[in-house]
Amino acid sequence: MAKMKSKANQAQGMLMFKLSLSQSFAIGTLKVREIVPYQKTTQIPYSHHHVIGTVTIRELTVPVIDMSAAIGFRAITPAEYNSCFLIVTDCLRTVVAFLVRSIDKIIECDWKSIESPPTTVGSNVFVTGITRYQDNIVQMLDVELLLSKIYPEYEAAQIPMLTDVERERLKALNILLVDDSSIARKQLSDALDSINIPYKICNNGLDAIELMRQEAAHNTPIELLVSDIEMPGLDGYELAFEVQNDPALNQSYRILHTSLSSEICVDRAQQVGAHEALEKFNAGELVEAMLRGAKSLESSSAAH
């Protein structure tokens, strides 16, 4: 039988752009609101040194970040601004514009062709994946990590308060967290560590599905799956779809979370078999969703 392809994944693309003369970078198109030519900015006193000012786009005041400088490249000089572009993104519940040197193109994205970066590059880099386009290397940027360096409050998620009963309900479950962003993995793990909830963690969907099959084979199936949506190899939509259609795995409660501020993510998540979709990152909302999952699992178990 031919493998069914998730309809939810077909619309995902990749916006390629340049921060230097030769190196290509990319972000997922679902994060992108629009692309506009550079506009003159208004300075913000005491702002982060990579924030060059603000612009007004569609009656919304948007901070402008020099993406090149933010990831460690040479800063874009004011003399270059007029030839540059602004990528307006909707991510982590806020709208931000990234100043880039040039826009290449938007292409269809085969997430399975995107490789995780080598472990030798370190754990605190801004790249979540590497792919190739027309024999050129393209690096997928970790927008969440980049924003967390400029706005540290993104790392300081409120720690949820649990009753003893709620904590024990979650502690009894086999929980798997999946995210390709190092900052998102830290936020997820910190939230559960703070309330003493054990978990397993993977940094991509392929590792996650393999771990889930191993756990199921050992009679310790993953009961609560919390996964990012945009990941190399096997994205969250496809992961949920694979889990839903595998009788050994589909008893799990599946929560997808995303930095994309869009209702379309919720609709797509439901189409592919996820029980919930959340905008990341709010620790309280995540734990509430996990508690709903625990209650659903208990009800399902009682029914059988």
Side-chain angles (χ1 to χ4, degrees):
M1 181 177 178
K3 179 181 174 182
M4 293 181 65
K5 182 174 178 61
S6 162
K7 292 181 180 178
N9 190 46
Q10 293 176 355
Q12 293 198 66
M14 186 164 67
L15 171 63
M16 294 172 52
F17 54 89
K18 292 240 177 13
L19 299 178
S20 66
L21 293 177
S22 58
Q23 180 60 57
S24 293
F25 293 88
I27 60 175
T29 53
L30 290 179
K31 287 186 172 74
V32 179
R33 270 195 169 197
E34 60 184 309
I35 302 165
V36 297
Y38 170 77
Q39 301 177 20
K40 186 175 180 180
T41 61
T42 301
Q43 297 297 311
I44 310 173
Y46 303 107
S47 61
H48 190 280
H49 57 284
H50 294 325
V51 177
I52 65 172
T54 65
V55 293
T56 301
I57 298 177
R58 303 188 191 282
E59 301 183 351
L60 186 66
T61 301
V62 180
V64 177
I65 297 170
D66 181 344
M67 182 181 272
S68 183
I71 69 168
F73 279 29
R74 177 178 68 83
I76 300 174
T77 65
E80 299 174 277
Y81 286 173
N82 286 334
S83 64
C84 294
F85 290 84
L86 300 178
I87 301 175
V88 184
T89 65
D90 195 346
C91 186
L92 290 174
R93 305 188 182 198
T94 192
V95 178
V96 172
F98 289 105
L99 180 70
V100 302
R101 285 194 162 86
S102 64
I103 300 293
D104 284 347
K105 61 187 69 182
I106 293 175
I107 62 172
E108 291 186 3
C109 183
D110 178 8
W111 288 92
K112 292 184 177 64
S113 70
I114 300 177
E115 306 166 8
S116 295
T119 55
T120 50
V121 301
S123 59
N124 203 28
V125 296
F126 294 107
V127 176
T128 60
I130 297 172
T131 189
R132 288 169 179 78
Y133 179 74
Q134 295 183 345
D135 297 326
N136 294 318
I137 292 176
V138 181
Q139 299 183 51
M140 297 290 294
L141 286 181
D142 187 343
V143 176
E144 290 90 346
L145 178 59
L146 193 158
L147 287 176
S148 76
K149 298 300 182 184
I150 296 174
Y151 303 112
E153 63 268 24
Y154 284 134
E155 292 193 77
Q158 290 187 345
I159 303 302
M161 299 295 292
L162 293 184
T163 66
D164 289 341
V165 172
E166 289 173 333
R167 182 176 292 105
E168 292 307 310
R169 176 176 287 168
L170 290 181
K171 286 179 71 172
L173 299 177
N174 195 1
I175 299 171
L176 175 61
L177 311 177
V178 191
D179 204 301
D180 66 319
S181 168
S182 58
I183 188 65
R185 288 196 301 275
K186 184 177 186 301
Q187 289 172 330
L188 289 166
S189 57
D190 283 353
L192 295 193
D193 287 343
S194 69
I195 51 179
N196 299 314
I197 303 299
Y199 56 87
K200 296 176 176 65
I201 195 162
C202 290
N203 61 12
N204 62 71
L206 290 172
D207 288 350
I209 195 73
E210 179 63 26
L211 177 62
M212 292 185 74
R213 286 168 178 158
Q214 291 175 3
E215 292 288 302
H218 288 90
N219 257 347
T220 55
I222 296 296
E223 296 159 295
L224 198 56
L225 172 66
V226 179
S227 175
D228 185 22
I229 289 178
E230 286 191 309
M231 297 183 295
L234 189 76
D235 70 17
Y237 293 134
E238 292 180 313
L239 176 59
F241 189 75
E242 292 279 351
V243 171
Q244 176 188 239
N245 287 280
D246 189 328
L249 309 179
N250 66 8
Q251 300 305 308
S252 63
Y253 191 86
R254 300 172 289 280
I255 302 170
L256 297 184
H257 64 96
T258 177
S259 58
L260 310 173
S261 303
S262 172
E263 292 180 2
I264 195 169
C265 296
V266 178
D267 295 336
R268 289 179 171 178
Q270 292 171 346
Q271 290 173 20
V272 297
H275 296 89
E276 301 196 40
L278 306 173
E279 292 178 20
K280 66 180 179 187
F281 178 79
N282 181 295
E285 289 180 7
L286 174 62
V287 171
E288 287 173 6
M290 295 173 72
L291 285 168
R292 288 193 292 272
K295 185 175 181 180
S296 174
L297 290 166
E298 289 172 4
S299 299
S300 178
S301 178
H304 290 85

